[in-house]
Amino acid sequence: MPLHMTKIAFRSEGPASLRAWLESQAGSGEARITTRYLPKRVEEMTGGSLYWIHAHTIIGRSPLLGFEETGQGRYWVRLAPRLIPVRTSPKRAHQGWRYLEDKDAPPDLGSGEADDLEAMPPALLGELTRLGLV
């Protein structure tokens, strides 16, 4: 079971803008974000994903490709340049990133369900999920 991480989708207006940013990075084969510290459990993260948080809700994930030193005392988090919709779940805001165990990670959405749910505002989707209606 791989280990995952969560991160706030900073400067993202929602799932559509996050998806657009990730897909705009596809030409280089990966999207990169920076972090100050290399995760201590980096070996367990092989095959894991970064789960994106927007409006206190996990909205999707991007597969982790690995980590790389930037040469400036920081590390790149290398991601597949795609957003995979997941069943939304509430998540408190935090700084930086946090580990997410595989057993606690929300499941991916089915192909037809994803389009309908992505059109919904994240706050509404989060509330419906909290109530167990989605």
Side-chain angles (χ1 to χ4, degrees), residues 81-132:
R82 66 181 193 268
L83 180 66
I84 301 167
V86 298
R87 182 167 305 262
T88 60
S89 64
K91 185 72 171 170
R92 294 178 63 178
H94 56 74
Q95 289 185 321
W97 49 265
R98 297 288 183 270
Y99 295 118
L100 179 66
E101 299 286 337
D102 196 51
K103 65 181 175 56
D104 299 324
D108 293 351
L109 290 177
S111 58
E113 188 179 0
D115 295 333
D116 294 339
L117 292 177
E118 189 173 299
M120 226 181 272
L124 175 60
L125 193 53
E127 185 62 17
L128 291 174
T129 300
R130 187 185 69 74
L131 294 170

Side-chain angles (χ1 to χ4, degrees), residues 2 9 28 31-32 38 44 52 60 73 88 95 107-108 123 126:
S28 65
R32 293 179 174 187
L38 184 66
E44 298 174 63
W52 295 100
T88 60
Q95 289 185 321
D108 293 351

Side-chain angles (χ1 to χ4, degrees), residues 1-5 41-49 51 64 99-105:
M1 292 192 317
L3 185 65
H4 309 286
M5 59 195 299
R41 298 173 69 184
V42 70
E43 300 300 326
E44 298 174 63
M45 299 179 95
T46 301
S49 292
Y51 282 79
L64 286 167
Y99 295 118
L100 179 66
E101 299 286 337
D102 196 51
K103 65 181 175 56
D104 299 324

Side-chain angles (χ1 to χ4, degrees), residues 8-9 53-59 90-91 122-123 126:
I8 302 291
I53 301 169
H54 183 270
H56 303 283
T57 304
I58 295 177
I59 58 169
K91 185 72 171 170

